Each structure stands twice: as structure tokens, then as C-alpha cells.
Amino acid sequence: MTTYVLVSGLWLGGWAWHDVTAALRRAGHEVFPLSLTGVADRSHLLGPTVDLDTHTEDIVRLVEIGDLRDVVLVGHSYGGMPVSAAALRLRQRIGRVIYVDSGPLPEGTTQQSMSGEPAGADEGDAVPPRDWDPGADPVLLAGLDEAALTLLRTRGTPHPRASVTQPLGARATSRDLPTTLVACTFSLEQITEMAAAGHPFFAGLTEAEIVALPTGHWPMLSEPAALAAILEQRG
């Protein structure tokens, strides 16, 4: 049995991992799909002080209070940032870090700088969900059927703005812990080229395993069975 902690990206909560969680639990594993403070079922806690440190603490406290060990810590998209910070603090409890269309971004990076989300101080406490229009963004939204798009439109919630503007501090890299990158929107060839060019997406993956899962940016909804299989194989 393996213990998994699953952390999703902007606007989503633990609910987004429903099918992945079910598949892993059927295989006998212990799975904790986490909603970060301020989103999904914890959206009532949204506020101006909810930042990257808060989300890092969410992960750390879940693992420590639950006395979880040999954890496979999974971060999707933005979730890779608090996962990377938490993994370094939890090093003795982590068996592997898996980044899903994400990665151990360089120290000092912000999610806003990487994604281009507007972050003006006068824009409120939250980043509103995207439009979820596959016609406008066919690459990122590839593989999502109408049921998945409906889930995203109805269950996605604003994301705490302070968390996307706070720079990442010390973080885990592939040299600290066994690390896997599940690449969805970039091919292995593209990743190799970008890593060689020093692109910050892949700056911390010098010794990481890279696995291709060709689909859009939300594989837990577009390819849940395939993603669950990849996670289980590395548990």
C-alpha cells in the first residue's frame, strides 16, 4: 500500500481528483485529495492573507498530523509550488514527488509570472476562474469532454491572489528527493530542448524521471485512468 497526497492547481479542489482517487483506492492505496485554503470546499476561508505559505502549511500539517510516511506527494500545475516547498520541509516523510504538468520552479518564481495571470492590488483577493472555452484554448483544454468542462465551470472557485504573487522560497528539486514529471502539454522532445536552453519550467529536473501523458493540462479529468496508473507505478 502507498500513501498519496494529491494537490491540484488554480481554482480546483480535492474534488478534481475523484476518479484518480477512486482508482488508487480500489488498488488498495491510501489517498488524500487535498483542497487548499480558500478554494473549493474551503472557499469560505478565502482572504487577502491566504498565500503560498498558507498552502504549503496545508500540505505540511496534513502529512504531519496524520503521521503519514513514505508519501507520494503529487502537485498539479500551481499545486507544484506548495508541493515543492512542503516536500523540502517533509523530506523524511516523502517517498517521491510527482509533478503533473508542473515542476520544481526556481526560487523566487511566482505563479503569476509564469502564467501571466493579472495580479494588481486593486483587483481583489482572488483570481477568477478561466472561461473553460476549448475553442479559445484547444491545447490546454484538450481531452476534456462536455461533462468535465461542466464540472470545471460549475465547481471551479476563485483562487487566492496572494498565493500567485508570493515568490517561491526554498523548494525541493530532483536532487533532494526522487522526482517524476508527468508531461501532458509538452512533448518529451520539447522538454529536452527547453531544459537544455535553461527554461525555468525545467530548471530543477536535472535528475528527474519524465513520463509522457499526451493530453491537456487537466489530466485528472481528461485521462484519469492513465494518470492513476502512472501514479501507482511509482508508488
Side-chain angles (χ1 to χ4, degrees), residues 181-192:
L181 166 63
V182 180
C184 301
T185 55
F186 291 105
S187 69
L188 296 182
E189 293 77 11
Q190 288 173 311
I191 290 172
T192 300

Side-chain angles (χ1 to χ4, degrees), residues 138-217:
V139 174
L140 289 182
L141 299 177
L144 296 172
D145 59 20
E146 194 55 41
L149 290 167
T150 297
L151 271 179
L152 290 165
R153 291 167 184 149
T154 58
R155 301 191 68 176
T157 55
H159 187 93
R161 188 175 299 280
S163 72
V164 303
T165 59
Q166 181 182 2
L168 181 65
R171 85 282 189 238
T173 71
S174 56
R175 296 175 182 175
D176 299 312
L177 291 162
T179 301
T180 299
L181 166 63
V182 180
C184 301
T185 55
F186 291 105
S187 69
L188 296 182
E189 293 77 11
Q190 288 173 311
I191 290 172
T192 300
E193 292 175 1
M194 294 169 76
H199 195 288
F201 276 170
F202 310 110
L205 293 172
T206 53
E207 299 173 17
E209 173 195 34
I210 303 176
V211 181
L213 177 56
T215 186
H217 188 57

Side-chain angles (χ1 to χ4, degrees), residues 76-92:
H76 160 254
S77 191
Y78 161 80
M81 295 189 74
V83 157
S84 196
L88 201 57
R89 290 176 56 184
L90 296 166
R91 189 179 308 186
Q92 302 307 313

